[in-house]
């Protein structure tokens, strides 16, 4: 990825002015909707839908670097921790109100968001080197466990108040447990007593108003002492709390009231303790939701193969192999191909005029540049080649689609004129303008002339822009202006189907008559139409169409040549590697050969000396001759270092190993060939008889059979005889 360092002199540089209409024209809200779906939190979703281009350059660069850093976390071992959380917006609102207190569930949410924020802050502090810009964003936020500790002292992991949250609460709950025991004991006694008397229904007991009651048959209700709390729907059962249990139940109710009051007091106290951290909680929620948006941008970049291109100061836009992200993702779902486009705008090529047939991809090309620039200036990465670069515009102006305004009673052309007036007021050297179907909506002659004047005005103001048009005069003007250029969308000259490839440097034909003919319009009608217009225009369009066809052919030829060249380079590279290896092997083999020859020579010399000694028995002469040979050989030697000796030994071993492998391969191949030949040539084995001339399969000597007994044959070779198995003998000729 290419990054740019923030220049201090560019701080607080005012960036971009953009209208809601331009955002709509370039389908920017669709991008934001996709981003919101990738967020984990509700606040993150809301923030992502509200993204607009940055107004300050330093803020933009920080946002771009943060997204790029988060994207890199998907590909390394230091994955950024979870940043999901439940929003505490209502809790923050309540904490801001004096004397208010929070419910139990609110404290668990506050503890959770504090823990999540602290984990992430500590992680970014630890891995500052990997994520410097994300760390900078987090460095001003306090890391503290105080909030979590305060809440954990009072609330357990199930979201309930702990018994030891206060001494009074602990005492109240102990008393409640004692009284509950008495309630259950007294109720058990009453249940046994009245059940024995047959006063109870089959269900025996139930709960009414959260109190345990006896299910007494209606006829016996006056015989059971206690308080009637209700009856069944049919009236056949009366629900009575026994008299012995009643006093304990009242005592328990009093304790439950005391417990509730104590819990309220504890919650108020805890709320006041947490209230001191209100600004920090606001920071935590803002930080985590901002990280959620950054993460969504990184996820979207991963889906679209997006990167951060180089941001330059030279007023140069170069989007290499750029994709329209919405089109790319849609086609990906449908398993269809998306064709990348390459765009280049700089000081000496400020305006591109795209022409060509309808449905050829002109508008998509126009929108691709605008949307990618808009995304980049909103802190998002874009799907372009890593060698791409661009600069930052102060304004992006668009006029795309049918802009008929019913509310203001404006026709398409009236609206476009009003839009052009706005362009003329705002257009300057730091403006990018994008106009689709420039000049349409009025009389071709008059509208074309006015469009030509507008284009000249934009040109003289040194604005950057891309327009699409069918008007010949605009194509001619683009050809005449030094810093403007024509472009066209390639069309297949045979099928007249779009290729969706932008070619800079040549105007495109509308292929009006050719497309009409392809769609079944009678040839006679097309000819009549041709006669209705000026001959010059037909010839001009025909010339452009012919040139475009030739360009298409050249593109195909160029592509084929490039592929062939690439293949040739690969083959050349392979051959060079093979050649180097062969040379190295030859050199090694030559060294080995020379070494062996020297040893053979030495052997011969020693043999000669040994023969002389054998004849003369002169030891002195023997030693003298031997020392002479040694001296001669040593004079040829260089004293090698230990390292060189080791290298030579390794090389020698490698060569011998390689030679042995090759020898083994040759032997294996010979054996295989021999076996194959035997398999192919194999004939029915003749029956051997006494007197037949034979030889063994692995031998050369031929003998005759003297005797055959029990599959054993005695073969006479003249000098000696041998007894062998008949199976190992090969028939040579019959007995003569």
């Amino acid at each position: 990825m290419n990054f740019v360092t923030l220049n201090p002199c560019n701080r607080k540089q005012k960036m971009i002015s953009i209208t809601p209409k331009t955002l709509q024209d370039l389908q920017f809200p669709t991008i934001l909707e996709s981003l919101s779906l990738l967020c984990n939190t509700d606040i993150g979703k809301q923030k992502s839908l509200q993204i607009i281009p940055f107004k300050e350059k330093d803020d933009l660069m920080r946002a771009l670097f943060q997204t790029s850093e988060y994207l890199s976390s998907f590909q390394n071992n230091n994955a950024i921790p979870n940043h999901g959380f439940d929003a505490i917006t209502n809790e923050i609102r309540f904490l801001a109100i004096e004397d208010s207190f929070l419910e139990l569930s609110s404290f668990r949410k506050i503890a959770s968001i504090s823990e999540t924020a602290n984990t992430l802050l500590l992680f970014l502090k630890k891995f500052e080197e990997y994520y410097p810009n994300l760390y900078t964003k987090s460095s001003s936020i306090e890391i503290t466990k105080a909030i979590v500790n305060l809440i954990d002292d009072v609330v357990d992991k199930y979201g309930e108040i702990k018994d030891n949250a206060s001494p009074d609460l602990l005492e109240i709950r102990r008393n409640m447990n004692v009284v509950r025991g008495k309630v259950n004991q007294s109720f058990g006694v009453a249940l046994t007593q009245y059940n024995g008397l047959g006063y109870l229904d089959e269900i025996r007991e139930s709960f009414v108003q959260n109190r345990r009651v006896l299910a007494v048959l209606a006829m016996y209700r006056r015989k059971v002492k206690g308080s009637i709390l209700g009856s069944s729907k049919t009236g056949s059962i009366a629900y009575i709390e026994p008299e012995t249990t009643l006093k304990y139940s009242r005592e328990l109710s009093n304790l439950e009231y005391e417990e509730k009051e104590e819990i309220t007091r504890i919650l108020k106290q805890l709320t006041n303790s947490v209230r001191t951290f209100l600004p920090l909680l606001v920071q935590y929620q803002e930080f985590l939701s901002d990280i959620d948006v950054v993460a969504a941008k990184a996820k979207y970049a991963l889906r679209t193969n997006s990167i951060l291109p180089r941001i330059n100061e030279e007023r140069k836009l170069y989007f290499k192999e750029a994709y329209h992200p919405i089109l790319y993702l849609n086609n990906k779902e449908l398993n269809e191909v998306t064709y990348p486009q390459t765009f280049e705008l700089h000081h000496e090529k400020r305006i591109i005029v795209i022409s060509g047939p309808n449905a050829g991809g002109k508008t998509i090309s126009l929108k691709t540049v605008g949307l990618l620039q808009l995304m980049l200036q909103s802190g998002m990465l874009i799907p372009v080649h890593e060698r791409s670069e661009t600069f930052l515009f102060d304004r992006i102006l668009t006029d795309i689609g049918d802009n008929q305004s019913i509310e203001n009673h404006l026709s398409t052309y009236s609206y476009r004129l009003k839009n052009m007036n706005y362009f003329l007021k705002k257009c300057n050297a730091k403006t990018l303008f994008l106009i689709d179907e420039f000049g349409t909506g009025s009389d071709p002659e008059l509208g074309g002339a006015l469009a030509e004047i507008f284009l000249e005005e934009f040109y003289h103001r040194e604005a950057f822009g891309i327009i699409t048009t069918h008007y010949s005069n605009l194509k001619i003007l683009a050809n005449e202006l030094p810093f403007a250029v024509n472009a066209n969308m390639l069309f297949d000259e045979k099928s007249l189907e779009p290729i969706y490839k932008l070619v800079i440097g040549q105007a495109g034909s509308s292929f009006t008559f050719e497309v009409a003919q392809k769609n079944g319009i009678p040839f006679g009608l097309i000819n009549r139409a041709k006669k209705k217009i000026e001959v010059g225009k037909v010839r001009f369009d025909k010339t452009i169409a012919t040139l475009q066809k030739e360009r298409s052919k050249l593109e195909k030829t160029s592509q084929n040549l490039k592929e062939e060249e690439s293949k040739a380079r690969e083959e050349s590279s392979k051959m060079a590697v093979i050649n180097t290896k062969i040379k190295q092997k030859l050199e090694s083999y030559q060294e080995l050969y020379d070494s062996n020859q020297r040893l053979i020579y030495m052997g011969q010399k020693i043999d000669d000396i040994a023969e002389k000694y054998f004849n003369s028995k002169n030891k002195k002469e023997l030693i003298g001759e031997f020392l002479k040979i040694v001296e001669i050989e040593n004079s040829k030697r260089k004293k090698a270092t230990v390292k060189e000796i080791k290298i030579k030994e390794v090389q020698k071993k490698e060569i011998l190993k390689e030679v042995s492998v090759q020898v083994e391969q040759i032997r294996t191949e010979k054996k295989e060939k021999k076996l194959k030949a035997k398999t192919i040539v194999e004939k029915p084995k003749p029956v051997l008889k006494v007197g037949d001339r034979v030889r063994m399969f692995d031998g050369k000597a031929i003998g005759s059979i003297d005797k055959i007994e029990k599959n054993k044959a005695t073969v006479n070779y003249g000098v000696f005889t041998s007894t062998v198995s008949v199976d190992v003998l090969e028939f040579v000729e019959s007995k003569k």
Side-chain angles (χ1 to χ4, degrees):
M1 291 183 189
N2 294 315
F3 297 105
V4 64
T5 308
L6 290 177
N7 189 342
C9 64
N10 289 324
R11 298 277 178 186
K12 300 299 176 188
Q13 176 184 336
K14 291 293 176 186
M15 285 284 300
I16 194 166
S17 171
I18 198 161
T19 63
K21 176 189 168 300
T22 295
L23 298 176
Q24 288 292 339
D25 283 350
L26 297 174
Q27 297 175 280
F28 191 61
T30 307
I31 299 287
L32 300 187
E33 284 171 17
S34 299
L35 271 189
S36 71
L37 295 174
L38 296 172
C39 288
N40 294 335
T41 66
D42 292 334
I43 298 175
K45 290 178 193 293
Q46 292 168 13
K47 283 187 173 183
S48 64
L49 291 170
Q50 294 165 0
I51 289 174
I52 57 170
F54 284 86
K55 292 189 176 179
E56 307 293 342
K57 182 175 179 180
D58 51 350
D59 294 339
L60 168 63
M61 297 312 297
R62 273 195 295 271
L64 287 170
F65 291 149
Q66 286 164 13
T67 306
S68 189
E69 287 173 6
Y70 205 109
L71 177 62
S72 70
S73 74
F74 298 143
Q75 298 163 346
N76 62 39
N77 297 324
N78 304 312
I80 294 174
N82 168 54
H83 55 265
F85 66 93
D86 290 326
I88 56 168
T89 309
N90 290 331
E91 284 74 10
I92 288 170
R93 195 178 297 123
F94 269 100
L95 286 171
I97 301 169
E98 202 172 340
D99 294 331
S100 64
F101 69 94
L102 300 174
E103 297 295 326
L104 265 174
S105 58
S106 296
F107 287 111
R108 285 262 47 99
K109 284 161 71 176
I110 289 171
S112 176
I113 197 172
S114 299
E115 199 164 351
T116 302
N118 277 289
T119 301
L120 187 54
L121 291 168
L122 287 167
F123 172 86
L124 293 174
K125 187 176 182 180
K126 182 179 179 181
F127 294 101
E128 178 188 354
E129 188 179 342
Y130 288 92
Y131 310 112
N133 288 278
L134 288 170
Y135 169 71
T136 303
K137 182 177 181 64
S138 68
S139 59
S140 60
I141 303 171
E142 182 186 351
I143 300 171
T144 177
K145 290 186 177 180
I147 300 171
V148 176
N149 291 339
L150 279 171
I151 295 169
D152 283 349
D153 287 345
V154 174
V155 185
D156 64 21
K157 61 182 179 180
Y158 304 108
E160 299 293 333
I161 295 287
K162 290 181 177 179
D163 292 346
N164 60 356
S166 76
D168 290 346
L169 182 64
L170 184 63
E171 183 64 27
I172 290 166
R173 285 186 173 172
R174 279 177 182 167
N175 293 337
M176 285 173 71
N177 288 333
V178 172
V179 173
R180 280 197 189 99
K182 289 178 180 178
V183 167
N184 289 333
Q185 187 181 6
S186 61
F187 186 86
V189 171
L191 181 70
T192 305
Q193 179 190 348
Y194 291 120
N195 190 48
L197 294 170
Y199 294 167
L200 303 183
D201 185 65
E202 289 179 358
I203 62 171
R204 295 175 64 191
E205 64 176 290
S206 185
F207 276 89
V208 176
Q209 298 172 14
N210 206 27
R211 289 158 79 173
R212 201 174 174 194
V213 293
L214 297 170
V216 181
L217 294 168
M219 63 183 78
Y220 299 118
R221 67 177 182 273
R222 295 186 185 278
K223 293 186 177 183
V224 177
K225 293 181 180 180
S227 174
I228 298 174
L229 298 181
S231 62
S232 64
K233 289 181 181 179
T234 58
S236 61
I237 300 171
Y239 297 118
I240 301 173
E241 186 175 19
E243 188 176 44
T244 52
T245 306
L246 195 59
K247 68 172 184 176
Y248 294 125
S249 294
R250 284 171 182 160
E251 188 179 347
L252 184 62
S253 296
N254 290 336
L255 286 169
E256 284 173 348
Y257 177 78
E258 287 179 24
E259 180 193 35
K260 189 177 178 182
E261 287 293 303
E262 181 60 17
I263 286 172
T264 302
R265 187 192 69 76
I266 291 167
L267 290 178
K268 283 182 177 178
Q269 185 179 350
L270 182 58
T271 302
N272 288 332
S273 299
V274 172
R275 186 175 278 119
T276 58
F277 295 97
L278 178 57
L280 185 59
L281 290 173
V282 173
Q283 268 189 307
Y284 282 168
Q285 181 161 274
E286 278 296 301
F287 171 66
L288 291 176
S289 58
D290 285 348
I291 293 295
D292 194 24
V293 175
V294 173
K297 289 178 181 178
K299 290 173 192 172
Y300 191 78
L302 190 67
R303 285 187 177 187
T304 54
N305 297 322
S306 296
I307 62 152
L308 173 57
R310 177 176 171 269
I311 309 297
N312 64 61
E313 300 289 339
E314 297 88 49
R315 296 181 70 209
K316 180 183 178 182
L317 181 151
Y318 177 57
F319 288 159
K320 183 181 179 182
E321 295 173 14
Y323 288 91
H324 191 290
I326 300 170
L327 182 66
Y328 174 80
L329 291 177
N330 288 344
N331 284 346
K332 197 175 180 182
E333 284 184 16
L334 300 170
N335 289 323
E336 293 181 1
V337 179
T338 309
Y339 297 92
Q341 308 289 0
T342 297
F343 306 92
E344 187 172 12
L345 293 170
H346 49 77
H347 184 67
E348 294 184 356
K349 189 168 72 178
R350 297 194 298 269
I351 297 173
I352 299 175
V353 178
I354 305 175
S355 50
N358 289 321
K362 299 192 301 296
T363 304
I364 287 292
S365 297
L366 185 85
K367 285 185 175 182
T368 300
V369 177
L371 181 59
L372 295 188
Q373 189 67 33
L374 190 54
M375 286 170 64
L376 188 71
Q377 295 196 213
S378 301
M380 298 174 67
L381 309 185
I382 56 175
V384 293
H385 190 276
E386 60 184 8
R387 290 183 185 172
S388 300
E389 59 179 302
T390 187
F391 65 104
L392 304 174
F393 293 97
D394 285 355
R395 288 188 184 88
I396 298 177
L397 305 173
T398 58
D399 188 355
I400 301 171
D402 183 10
N403 294 304
Q404 193 173 37
S405 177
I406 296 169
E407 297 84 0
N408 298 321
H409 306 286
L410 292 174
S411 68
T412 300
Y413 192 60
S414 298
Y415 187 92
R416 300 200 95 167
L417 286 175
K418 192 173 182 181
N419 218 20
M420 285 304 105
N421 189 36
Y422 177 76
F423 277 33
L424 291 170
K425 287 178 182 176
K426 301 292 182 182
C427 208
N428 60 30
K430 292 185 178 179
T431 301
L432 174 66
F433 66 88
L434 306 163
I435 306 172
D436 190 29
E437 300 295 347
F438 193 33
T440 56
S442 182
D443 177 89
E445 296 288 341
L446 305 178
L450 196 56
E452 197 173 327
I453 296 302
F454 290 149
L455 186 58
E456 285 177 350
E457 190 62 28
F458 298 149
Y459 177 84
H460 292 309
R461 294 189 186 187
E462 297 187 359
F464 288 74
I466 301 175
I467 68 168
T468 69
T469 188
H470 289 286
Y471 282 13
S472 299
N473 63 316
L474 296 178
K475 300 177 192 178
I476 293 167
L477 180 63
N479 197 46
E480 291 172 348
L481 294 172
F483 302 146
V485 66
N486 274 302
N488 71 84
M489 302 303 297
L490 280 185
F491 231 54
D492 190 291
E493 71 276 6
K494 291 179 181 177
S495 65
L496 291 178
E497 292 293 331
I499 299 175
Y500 301 108
K501 185 170 183 181
L502 183 71
V503 176
I504 306 292
Q506 183 181 312
S509 168
S510 298
F511 285 96
T512 306
F513 297 124
E514 289 86 348
V515 173
Q517 189 176 341
K518 181 179 181 289
N519 284 283
I521 305 299
F523 192 67
L525 294 179
I526 293 169
N527 275 339
R528 282 169 59 188
K530 285 181 179 179
K531 289 174 184 176
K532 292 279 185 185
I533 60 173
E534 293 176 20
V535 177
K537 283 190 179 177
V538 176
R539 286 175 64 193
F540 179 73
D541 195 74
K542 189 177 180 182
T543 302
I544 289 176
T546 305
L547 287 169
Q548 200 166 337
K549 287 176 184 178
E550 290 298 324
R551 182 63 173 264
S552 180
K553 286 179 184 176
L554 285 170
E555 283 287 327
K556 288 179 182 176
T557 307
S558 175
Q559 186 64 32
N560 291 335
L561 286 171
K562 281 180 182 176
E563 288 174 6
E564 291 296 326
E565 186 184 359
S566 178
K567 286 179 184 177
R569 281 179 182 169
E570 285 178 13
E571 289 298 322
S572 175
S573 179
K574 285 179 184 176
M575 291 302 292
V577 171
I578 292 166
N579 194 30
T580 305
K581 286 182 179 178
I582 289 169
K583 280 183 179 178
Q584 286 174 350
K585 284 183 181 178
L586 284 172
E587 286 171 4
S588 301
Y589 290 148
Q590 186 63 45
E591 284 179 11
L592 187 62
Y593 175 78
D594 292 345
S595 176
N596 289 337
Q597 286 296 109
R598 189 173 62 81
L599 291 173
I600 290 165
Y601 171 75
M602 287 285 292
Q604 288 173 346
K605 279 275 186 185
I606 290 168
D607 187 56
D608 291 344
I609 294 167
E611 192 176 347
K612 277 184 183 179
Y613 176 71
F614 179 77
N615 294 324
S616 65
K617 302 294 181 182
N618 189 337
K619 286 184 182 180
K620 191 174 180 182
E621 188 182 349
L622 172 69
I623 294 165
E625 287 288 334
F626 186 73
L627 285 172
K628 190 178 177 182
I629 292 169
V630 171
E631 287 294 331
I632 290 166
E633 289 301 317
N634 281 345
S635 66
K636 295 176 185 175
R637 286 192 176 97
K638 275 186 182 178
K639 197 165 184 181
T641 61
V642 177
K643 191 176 179 182
E644 286 173 343
I645 291 165
K646 283 183 180 178
I647 290 168
K648 279 194 175 181
E649 284 176 359
V650 171
Q651 286 176 344
K652 199 169 183 179
K653 282 178 183 177
E654 285 178 356
I655 292 164
L656 289 170
K657 190 178 178 183
E658 198 169 334
V659 168
S660 65
V661 168
Q662 288 179 355
V663 167
E664 191 60 37
Q665 282 178 350
I666 292 163
R667 281 179 181 168
T668 308
E669 285 172 7
K670 279 186 177 179
K671 281 182 183 177
E672 286 175 357
K673 281 180 183 177
K674 197 171 182 182
L675 286 171
K676 197 173 180 184
K678 279 183 181 179
T679 308
I680 294 165
V681 179
E682 194 170 355
K683 296 176 184 176
K685 192 171 181 181
V687 178
L688 299 176
K689 300 173 186 174
V690 174
D692 286 346
R693 290 176 67 75
V694 293
R695 68 180 164 205
M696 294 179 73
F697 283 119
D698 56 350
K700 292 180 181 179
I702 297 172
S704 59
I705 299 174
D706 286 351
K707 186 169 60 173
I708 298 174
E709 285 181 357
K710 296 181 182 180
N711 209 36
K712 295 278 184 181
T714 302
V715 183
N716 187 344
Y717 290 101
V719 181
F720 66 93
T721 59
S722 174
T723 303
V724 293
S725 172
V726 174
D727 294 332
V728 300
L729 293 175
E730 182 184 6
F731 176 77
V732 177
E733 62 181 354
S734 300
K735 179 182 177 183
K736 292 179 181 177

